[in-house]
Structure formats: C-alpha cells, structure tokens
C-alpha cells in the first residue's frame, strides 16, 4: 500500500519524462467511465516502460513484431483474470482499466506467495530460522520492488522459480520439472534453471555410486538388483544429451549475439546504467568470492558431498562441510547459478535490467544480505542463550503485524547498514522514477 501511494503521489506531482518508449495505441471505441479515471489516478504510474508491452499483449495479442520478446504466460493470466473481473466491472470501467487492475492484483498475490516460498526455501537450505525470516523481509523491500508490483512478469517468474527450487531441494527433480518449465515459459532466462536439475541428479548419482561401491566391497560381486540400479544411472547420459540438445539452439543464437555484440554496450553514455546495476553485481561477486575462500573443498567438489550412509543403510561419519547458514554446502549450486547469471547480464544483455533479473532469479542475494544484517557475534551460537534470544526475536516478529526486525532495529555492523540502506533507497527511489517514465534499472 505504501508503494501504491508513493507512485500515485509522484505521478501526480512530478511531470512525466518524454521517453522514447513503446506506448500501446488506445482503442478509440473504448468508453471512458468514472472508474477509468480512478484507475488512472491510483495505478497510472505503474503502466510504464515494458508494462505497456505486457498490457498490449493481454488486450490485443502479439500484433507488433517487437512484442515477441515477451513471453505469453503472464499476459495470458492477466487476460484470464481480466475477463472474469470485467463482467461485474464493465459498468464502471473499460476493459483496458480492468486489465491494469487485474495485473496489479495478480502481482500483489504472487508477491506475497513468493515471499512465503522464499522463507520456506531459505529454511530448507540455510537451516536457520533467523536468516530465513530476514531474507523474506528483504525480498519484500528488494531493489527491484517496483517491477514486482507493476505489470511485469518478474513476480510470476520468481514465484515459479522459487517454488521449483523448493521442490527440487526437498523432493525430486521429476516434480520440480513442472514449475521449472512454467518459469521458462514466463522468461527466457528460465532455461538457466536446468542447472539445478542436473546438480540434483548428480547428487543422486553420487549417492547411488557410493552405495554400489560399498556393496561391491563387502560382497565381492554385484547383485542383479545393483546391476539394474547401475544401468538406471546410465540414463544420466541421455539426460545430459537431452538437456544439451534442448539448450543448443538457444546457445548458438547467444553465441552469435556474443560474437556480434560483445562489449558493444560498453559506451561512455551507458555509465549511469552500469552504476545502477553495480550494487547487485557486487553483492553476487562478493558472496561468491567469500564462499570460495571460506569453502574451497566444497567448491573443488562442486558441492557434492560423500553420503553419510553406506550400502547397507548404516550411518557413516558425516562429512565436515558446514551444514547451516550462508556457508552451507547446499548454497554452492545457488552461488554458481547467481555468478553465471550475473556474468551473462554484464556481458550479453542491456545491463540496466540486471537488478530486476537477478532479484527475481537468485535467492542467494537475499541470503547473503540477511547474513550481513545478522549480528556476527551471535550468529553461530557460541553462546546458546544468545541464540535462543535471536530465535525468539524472529518468532516474535513473524507473529506481529506491525513490528519488523529490519526496520525496528537498525543493523549494528557497517555492511549491514550499507545493505539495508541500498535496499530501501532503490526500493523507494525506483518507485518514484519508474512511475514518471524516468530511466531506472
């Protein structure tokens, strides 16, 4: 509600910038009713930049060639909700206004659900209730918040991606394939998520390998069942081949773009766009560098630990890798994903979209930020009483409608203050600039 009020106020007080951007042509046959004026006043500041494309596709379909760059799932959902709402609202507003209202309602619902899913995913990966809570709060004020509220596909993409990551982390690759597929139908960078499926399959293959090796060592021969299991694991080869073939056309096209346009975007006039993207790029790079320095063994092993159970199901001595917090071995694949996606953004696409692309794709951004916001003297639990107090504080905040830890208690560490200031600054400034057609990341 604060963001809606802020964009409406800034849209009212600040004159719009005359940007050279696509504006969906108005239908002269649509009536202008009193409800349309209300929607324009309250939500008009959200219909800027690429939102014009999404709403145009939702209303008219792919009528212009430049609209083909935007995937269809988000406009389809907006149109579906709009058709449902238009029946009771047709007497107070036209169809275009109904679509604007539908897109904001859809993104508002998805934003809340995504924050909840990120919290569950964070608990599953980090094994820390405090970090999970703070990561979810940071997501709610992330630097690209305005794009999660406006008629953009970022929020829907984040919902499908984080949902798939949660399923892939706790269940199976087969079940996670469906939400991953939905994510790739919302944005093209969803193809990168195939790496999570491959990584999970490598973990399964590693577990099977150690079971078979231990059984072979003890029995001296392979049983028929183990032969079947080993043969099944050979299906990893078709898996890799299939994934390679699926991504080959996209990779060839990107390679062609790479050879034609590598570093062509690096011009003096683009310096402001690079400066806007610099903070989130530095968050990704700093986290990756610190993770590699603190966990070299995990990185050299590609985050694949030896199983703690032998071939007979007996527990073995567990590996010595960190199991909780930002240095957990489970974080490796998320770190590699964010680093690769960041490099792609900086080298191969318009750098001004880097912030919203990374914020909608990489949960590790929120985990590292939450880590920096956490008092490091209390984090690892040298004093059990202090850890209990921190967990109690997190639960108290989660059960309160008004008290939010990140806002009621400013971080004590320097980097925690920097991170929180960055999130809040980009969150509010982005709403003001975006709502008046001013360039923003």
């Amino acid at each position: 509600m604060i963001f809606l009020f802020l964009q409406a106020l800034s849209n009212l007080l600040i004159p719009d910038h005359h940007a050279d951007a696509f504006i969906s042509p108005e239908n002269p046959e649509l009536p202008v009713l009193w409800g349309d004026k209300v929607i324009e006043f309250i939500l008009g500041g959200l219909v800027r930049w690429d939102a014009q494309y999404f709403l145009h596709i939702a209303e008219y379909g792919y009528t212009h060639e430049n609209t083909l760059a935007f995937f269809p799932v988000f406009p389809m959902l907006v149109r579906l909700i709009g058709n449902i709402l238009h029946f009771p609202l047709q007497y107070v507003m036209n169809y275009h206004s109904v679509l604007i209202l539908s897109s904001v309602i859809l993104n508002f619902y998805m934003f809340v659900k995504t924050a909840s899913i990120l919290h569950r995913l964070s608990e599953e990966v980090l094994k820390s209730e405090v970090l999970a809570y703070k990561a979810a709060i940071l997501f709610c004020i992330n630097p690209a918040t305005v794009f999660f509220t406006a008629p953009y596909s970022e929020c829907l993409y984040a919902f499908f991606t984080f949902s798939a990551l949660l399923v892939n982390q706790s269940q199976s690759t087969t079940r996670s394939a469906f939400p991953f597929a939905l994510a790739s139908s919302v944005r093209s960078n969803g193809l990168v998520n195939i790496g999570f499926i491959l990584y999970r399959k490598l973990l399964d293959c590693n577990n099977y390998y150690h079971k078979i090796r231990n059984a072979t060592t003890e029995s001296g021969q392979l049983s028929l069942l183990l032969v079947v299991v080993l043969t099944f694991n050979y299906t990893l080869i078709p898996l890799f081949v299939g994934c390679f073939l699926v991504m080959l056309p996209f990779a060839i096209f990107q390679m062609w773009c790479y050879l034609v346009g590598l570093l062509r975007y690096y011009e003096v006039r683009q310096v402001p766009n690079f400066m806007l993207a610099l903070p989130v790029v530095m968050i990704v790079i700093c986290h990756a560098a610190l993770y590699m320095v603190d966990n070299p063994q995990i990185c050299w092993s590609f985050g694949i630990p030896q199983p703690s159970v032998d071939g007979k199901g007996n527990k073995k001595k567990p590996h010595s890798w960190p199991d909780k917090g930002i240095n957990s071995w489970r974080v490796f694949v998320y770190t590699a994903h964010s680093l690769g996606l960041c490099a792609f953004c900086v080298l191969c696409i318009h750098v001004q979209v880097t912030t919203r692309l990374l914020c909608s794709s990489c949960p590790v951004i929120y985990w590292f930020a939450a880590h920096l916001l956490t008092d490091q003297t209390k984090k690892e639990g040298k004093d059990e009483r202090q850890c209990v107090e921190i967990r109690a504080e997190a639960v108290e905040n989660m059960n309160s409608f008004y008290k939010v830890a990140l806002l009621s208690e400013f971080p004590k560490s320097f980097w925690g203050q920097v991170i929180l200031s960055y999130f809040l600054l980009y969150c509010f400034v982005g709403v003001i600039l975006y709502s008046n057609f001013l360039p923003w990341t």
Side-chain angles (χ1 to χ4, degrees):
M1 295 302 294
I2 296 177
F3 299 132
L4 291 180
F5 173 78
L6 182 60
Q7 66 84 26
L9 182 63
S10 60
N11 190 38
L12 176 65
L13 300 179
I14 303 175
D16 287 346
H17 171 65
H18 296 288
D20 184 19
F22 171 79
I23 302 294
S24 178
E26 297 182 1
N27 186 352
E29 298 181 359
L30 286 178
V32 179
L33 306 174
W34 66 268
D36 302 313
K37 298 179 181 180
V38 173
I39 292 296
E40 173 63 26
F41 176 76
I42 298 178
L43 304 178
L46 297 178
V47 189
R48 301 288 188 259
W49 299 107
D50 289 351
Q52 290 282 337
Y53 286 103
F54 286 110
L55 290 174
H56 179 87
I57 297 170
E59 187 170 2
Y60 303 110
Y62 290 91
T63 59
H64 294 71
E65 184 178 357
N66 54 359
T67 61
L68 295 175
F70 302 91
F71 282 36
V73 172
F74 177 73
M76 287 172 55
L77 289 177
V78 171
R79 187 169 190 169
L80 176 62
I81 299 174
N83 290 338
I84 296 174
L85 294 180
H86 187 236
F87 179 75
L89 297 178
Q90 60 181 318
Y91 303 105
V92 295
M93 65 181 67
N94 60 39
Y95 188 58
H96 181 73
S97 298
V98 171
L99 290 178
I100 296 175
L101 179 63
S102 302
S103 63
V104 174
I105 292 175
L106 173 62
N107 275 350
F108 180 80
Y109 174 77
M110 288 300 175
F111 192 76
V112 175
K113 295 294 292 184
T114 305
S116 175
I117 290 172
L118 176 61
H119 179 267
R120 292 166 56 192
L121 174 64
S122 303
E123 284 190 318
E124 188 71 28
V125 175
L126 305 178
K127 305 298 181 182
S128 170
E129 186 178 18
V130 175
L131 291 180
Y133 166 73
K134 290 185 177 181
I137 296 299
L138 285 168
F139 173 78
C140 295
I141 57 171
N142 77 76
T145 298
V146 64
F147 299 103
F148 286 74
T149 308
Y152 275 65
S153 60
E154 267 71 11
C155 197
L156 186 64
Y157 175 78
F159 171 76
F160 287 139
T161 298
F162 293 174
S163 298
L165 293 175
L166 178 61
V167 175
N168 192 61
Q169 185 70 40
S170 58
Q171 299 182 30
S172 66
T173 55
T174 304
R175 293 187 178 184
S176 65
F178 181 66
F180 273 135
L182 289 175
S184 63
S185 68
V186 176
R187 293 185 64 89
S188 60
N189 55 293
L191 288 172
V192 183
N193 293 330
I194 199 171
F196 289 104
I197 296 179
L198 295 177
Y199 175 77
R200 178 58 186 268
K201 199 64 179 177
L202 283 175
L203 286 178
D204 295 339
C205 180
N206 179 61
N207 292 331
Y208 280 126
Y209 166 76
H210 282 86
K211 287 182 180 180
I212 293 173
R213 188 187 66 175
N214 294 333
T216 304
T217 302
E218 295 177 3
S219 63
Q221 60 182 355
L222 291 176
S223 65
L224 178 62
L225 178 60
L226 290 179
V227 172
V228 173
V229 172
L230 184 60
T231 304
F232 171 77
N233 278 279
Y234 284 152
T235 58
L236 277 175
I237 297 177
L239 174 65
F240 280 106
V241 172
C243 293
F244 174 77
L245 292 177
V246 169
M247 299 189 66
L248 182 60
F250 179 79
I252 292 176
F253 176 71
Q254 292 301 322
M255 182 60 67
W256 178 81
C257 295
Y258 173 84
L259 296 175
V260 174
L262 177 64
L263 304 183
R264 292 283 183 88
Y265 200 71
Y266 282 63
E267 301 175 354
V268 175
R269 63 189 180 92
Q270 299 296 343
V271 169
N273 289 327
F274 279 92
M275 295 303 296
L276 284 174
L278 183 61
V280 72
V281 171
M282 291 306 300
I283 288 176
V284 172
I285 293 176
C286 288
H287 163 68
L290 291 174
Y291 190 86
M292 287 187 284
V293 170
D294 293 338
N295 308 284
Q297 186 178 2
I298 297 177
C299 297
W300 283 113
S301 302
F302 296 103
I304 301 177
Q306 290 189 1
S308 57
V309 179
D310 61 19
K312 293 185 176 181
N314 300 320
K315 290 186 177 181
K316 298 164 53 180
K317 182 180 179 180
H319 55 77
S320 59
W321 293 355
D323 189 60
K324 297 181 180 180
I326 196 65
N327 284 323
S328 169
W329 64 270
R330 301 180 189 86
V331 178
F332 170 81
V333 64
Y334 298 93
T335 303
H337 167 258
S338 63
L339 193 60
L341 200 57
C342 181
F344 176 76
C345 291
V346 173
L347 296 176
C348 302
I349 66 174
H350 288 180
V351 74
Q352 60 261 40
V353 306
T354 299
T355 302
R356 54 188 172 99
L357 192 149
L358 293 178
C359 286
S360 63
S361 306
C362 306
V364 75
I365 291 176
Y366 306 105
W367 297 341
F368 185 58
H371 168 76
L372 294 177
L373 287 171
T374 303
D375 188 354
Q376 301 303 305
T377 60
K378 301 179 181 179
K379 176 176 70 72
E380 296 296 340
K382 292 183 179 179
D383 187 336
E384 183 61 28
R385 182 183 60 83
Q386 289 178 331
C387 289
V388 172
E389 289 176 356
I390 294 176
R391 288 194 291 268
E393 177 189 359
V395 173
E396 178 185 353
N397 284 303
M398 284 187 287
N399 294 332
S400 174
F401 287 103
Y402 305 103
K403 185 179 179 182
V404 179
L406 300 184
L407 302 180
S408 61
E409 182 179 347
F410 202 70
K412 298 179 181 178
S413 67
F414 170 75
W415 289 114
Q417 296 172 5
V418 171
I419 284 291
L420 184 56
S421 299
Y422 161 63
F423 271 66
L424 291 174
L425 178 65
Y426 268 53
C427 181
F428 286 99
V429 173
V431 172
I432 296 174
L433 296 182
Y434 171 88
S435 60
N436 292 282
F437 253 126
L438 291 166
W440 187 241
T441 180

